[in-house]
Amino acid sequence: MRTVLAEDGTLLREGLAALLDRFGFPVVAAVGDAEALVAAVAEHAPGLVVTDIRMPPGFTDEGLRALVRLRRDHPDLPVVALSQYVAPSYASTLLDLGAGVGYLLKDRVGDVREFVAVLHRVAAGETVLDPEVVRTLLKRNPLAGLSGREREVLGLIAQGYSNAGIAESLVVSEGAVNKHVGNIFTKLGLAPGEDRNRRVLAALTYLRG
């Protein structure tokens, strides 16, 4: 899958480009700032974007704002944002973009197998949050109406797990997970509808407490 990579650090950018190329994500452009990222997407029409959040010139959230612009023009473009920081505002902004979004801490890149798996999941239209992001947000925003198990399940939903994946992670039956998910939707006041939309809304409610 053709990929555009944006990272201001030269060594990390080159290392990521080599890693992506090796595992089936050929990098058609590797750039060092947010404006160059937007231009590269316009030029190359990639199937995936991987970008740092804090980019020149201000080193605040230039990469994140670039993703918002890109998804406005390319609603189905899968995007993965990398950061050294756990920031609820980053997670909320990314989840607002819809499906096919990832938010990973840069430390996660060191686990190559997991990193590549996340890229494939995002490219397939899933929404994936770094487990550390979810753990931090859970401490900040417990949802009083949910049981402990329901909060666990909702945390995994926020990470992008399917019901089958949640069952495997928690070592319970998929039927039990389906029941917990139904209870979560009910307690959060999410009316029956398209399941993916309800999962995204549940994750947003969870992150915003």
Side-chain angles (χ1 to χ4, degrees):
M1 176 171 288
R2 289 157 47 87
T3 302
V4 166
L5 169 66
E7 162 60 49
D8 63 283
T10 303
L11 289 178
L12 180 55
R13 183 171 66 245
E14 292 180 356
L16 278 171
L19 177 65
L20 291 167
D21 283 334
R22 178 183 174 189
F23 285 95
F25 296 90
V27 175
V28 295
V31 300
D33 62 71
E35 288 302 319
L37 167 61
V38 173
V41 170
E43 178 180 356
H44 297 284
L48 176 69
V49 168
V50 179
T51 182
D52 191 5
I53 288 179
R54 296 193 174 192
M55 302 272 283
F59 293 97
T60 55
D61 63 349
E62 287 84 354
L64 182 62
R65 285 186 277 120
L67 291 184
V68 173
R69 289 171 58 189
L70 290 172
R71 285 295 289 259
R72 184 177 61 239
D73 296 332
H74 311 279
D76 297 324
L77 176 63
V79 297
V80 175
L82 304 177
S83 179
Q84 292 178 321
Y85 311 95
V86 176
S89 61
Y90 294 169
S92 179
T93 298
L94 288 164
L95 284 171
D96 279 341
L97 299 180
V101 170
Y103 172 23
L104 295 181
L105 298 183
K106 286 187 174 180
D107 289 347
R108 197 68 54 191
V109 178
D111 187 333
V112 174
R113 178 178 296 179
E114 182 176 357
F115 177 56
V116 172
V118 167
L119 297 182
H120 282 290
R121 290 172 62 191
V122 172
E126 295 187 37
T127 299
V128 182
L129 294 182
D130 191 288
E132 187 59 33
V133 173
V134 173
R135 281 192 291 269
T136 300
L137 293 172
L138 179 59
K139 294 175 184 176
R140 299 177 72 257
N141 298 316
L143 298 175
L146 302 183
S147 69
R149 177 61 89 182
E150 288 164 353
R151 286 198 294 272
E152 285 184 277
V153 170
L154 183 51
L156 292 170
I157 289 174
Q159 290 181 46
Y161 281 79
S162 65
N163 285 7
I166 293 170
E168 182 178 356
S169 177
L170 298 180
V171 195
V172 297
S173 70
E174 190 169 347
V177 173
N178 291 338
K179 182 176 179 180
H180 288 312
V181 171
N183 289 340
I184 290 166
F185 289 160
T186 298
K187 291 181 180 180
L188 296 183
L190 299 174
E194 203 277 316
D195 187 57
R196 173 172 287 183
N197 289 336
R198 288 206 293 174
R199 294 176 83 86
V200 171
L201 289 171
L204 284 169
T205 302
Y206 168 72
L207 293 173
R208 291 167 176 169

